[in-house]
Amino acid sequence: MQRNRVGTSGLEVSELALGTMTWSRDTNADEAGGQLDAFLNAGGTLVDTAASYAEGGSEALIGAMLGGTVARRDLQICTKAGIRRTASGGFVDASRDTMLDTLDESLARMGTDHVDLWLVHAYDSRTPLEETLHALEIAVNSGRARYVGVSNFPGWATARIGTLATGRPSIAATQVEYSLLQRGIEREVVPAAADIGMGVMAWSPLGRGVLTGKYRSSIPADSRAASEHLAGFVDPYLNDHSTTVVEALATAAEGLGATAQELALGWVLAQPHIATAVVGARTAEQLELSLNATRNRVPAAIVDVLDEVTAPPLGYPERR
């Protein structure tokens, strides 16, 4: 598997990152272990998690693996903080105390003294960016995080925190949703990241699973769209536009002897602004289909056609 630099930082990661959002909840320890084995055997290095995934269960499962047969040196760990859980639910909180307390809890769950990349999970409109940035600075200076970044930040906030970081540990990465069904970051986030030197990490590069083609005729009983806690995550992409894109993918895949999943993920990997794409799966077999995208590159002509079919509308002020 190819390795890429994350922006202009010194951090180098595998072009695919293993997503663990469902670990310990929908994906049990045996399946998670199978996924990690397949990922490492394919040359993958970066595992992506968050303190809020399964209320810490994902990180705890990673910690159990690190305490067993997986060596810490074989993994690069990316985790996130900034979602605080209360009795009434979770809310965004990127304050300094919550961020640092959450990081310490993450390290304890995973049984490690540092993470390779630590991200602010979401933009917090109530906390000054200077305060959030100070938490990132403390994490790096204390050795608890090697690199830091943001996630789900709008373009202006991406540019602002990157500029504020001048003279401090730089903001190495921004993790944002990106796929053939969601190309909104191309308007402002990608240009901002490029100007500052941030690498872009794509989450949900398979359009929340819709681009695999599994929903072409129905909703499988074992799919995310049929899950009580994930149905709302998938539903926004079960629409006419998605159907058009999925059918175009299916047609191209048939002609190439590939799968729609390989083409959808391959298109993301072909974008020069993407450092890594985060892929999750329920089983090791599902993950193998994503790993195939790193072995069989999408022809440039197909990339161009998919670009044209899915190009996001641009208007003022991006285009005049």
Side-chain angles (χ1 to χ4, degrees):
M1 189 182 301
Q2 181 175 305
R3 290 170 64 93
N4 297 325
R5 277 289 181 96
V6 179
T8 56
S9 75
L11 179 61
E12 192 175 272
V13 300
S14 52
E15 61 181 328
L16 288 185
L18 180 59
T20 65
M21 184 177 72
T22 64
W23 282 20
S24 85
R25 187 179 58 186
D26 304 306
T27 302
N28 63 32
D30 288 340
E31 284 289 0
Q35 288 183 27
L36 187 57
D37 286 344
F39 181 67
L40 293 175
N41 289 337
T45 60
L46 181 62
V47 174
D48 180 81
T49 186
S52 59
Y53 290 171
E55 298 184 1
S58 171
E59 290 181 333
L61 186 48
I62 292 170
M65 292 177 179
L66 290 176
T69 58
V70 179
R72 177 66 179 90
R73 64 178 177 274
D74 292 335
L75 288 187
Q76 293 173 302
I77 299 174
C78 170
T79 194
K80 313 173 198 68
I83 305 294
R84 184 149 64 93
R85 294 292 176 185
T86 67
S88 58
F91 66 94
V92 176
D93 180 0
S95 62
R96 181 169 46 241
D97 58 346
T98 293
M99 290 289 295
L100 292 173
D101 284 349
T102 303
L103 176 58
D104 289 338
E105 292 163 1
S106 293
L107 295 176
R109 277 191 290 266
M110 291 187 286
T112 183
D113 62 356
H114 75 280
V115 292
D116 301 276
L117 180 60
W118 188 46
L119 307 179
V120 186
H121 206 149
Y123 170 68
D124 179 4
S125 62
R126 300 178 307 123
T127 300
L129 282 174
E130 277 276 11
E131 180 175 333
T132 301
L133 181 59
H134 190 213
L136 300 181
E137 183 178 16
I138 291 170
V140 173
N141 290 343
S142 65
R144 287 177 278 180
R146 298 287 169 82
Y147 294 89
V148 291
V150 297
S151 180
N152 302 309
F153 268 42
W156 73 267
T158 301
R160 179 62 176 155
I161 196 169
T163 303
L164 287 172
T166 301
R168 293 161 148 168
S170 63
I171 306 299
T174 178
Q175 186 177 126
V176 281
E177 183 175 6
Y178 188 57
S179 73
L180 286 166
L181 297 181
Q182 179 52 271
R183 295 177 60 180
I185 65 167
E186 293 177 12
R187 291 191 290 269
E188 292 192 344
V189 173
V190 169
D195 187 65
I196 293 166
M198 295 184 197
V200 179
M201 306 171 67
W203 66 260
S204 206
L206 295 173
R208 309 189 184 190
V210 173
L211 291 170
T212 64
K214 70 172 68 174
Y215 303 112
R216 288 177 73 189
S217 57
S218 62
I219 296 179
D222 61 348
S223 67
R224 290 182 178 182
S227 164
E228 182 178 348
H229 53 273
L230 289 173
F233 179 69
V234 179
D235 186 67
Y237 291 161
L238 298 178
N239 54 36
D240 291 342
H241 171 68
S242 298
T243 298
T244 299
V245 175
V246 170
E247 292 306 317
L249 272 176
T251 299
E254 184 177 354
L256 292 172
T259 65
Q261 182 167 336
E262 288 176 62
L263 292 192
L265 185 53
W267 177 87
V268 172
L269 296 178
Q271 304 309 307
H273 50 268
I274 296 299
T276 187
V278 182
V279 293
R282 189 172 51 81
T283 67
E285 289 74 19
Q286 291 175 350
L287 179 63
E288 280 291 347
L289 295 175
S290 291
L291 295 175
N292 283 339
T294 68
R295 302 167 183 137
N296 306 304
R297 300 293 171 176
V298 180
I302 300 298
V303 171
D304 291 342
V305 169
L306 294 175
D307 271 339
E308 184 177 345
V309 171
T310 63
L314 292 180
Y316 180 85
E318 290 88 10
R319 178 179 294 166
R320 296 184 63 183

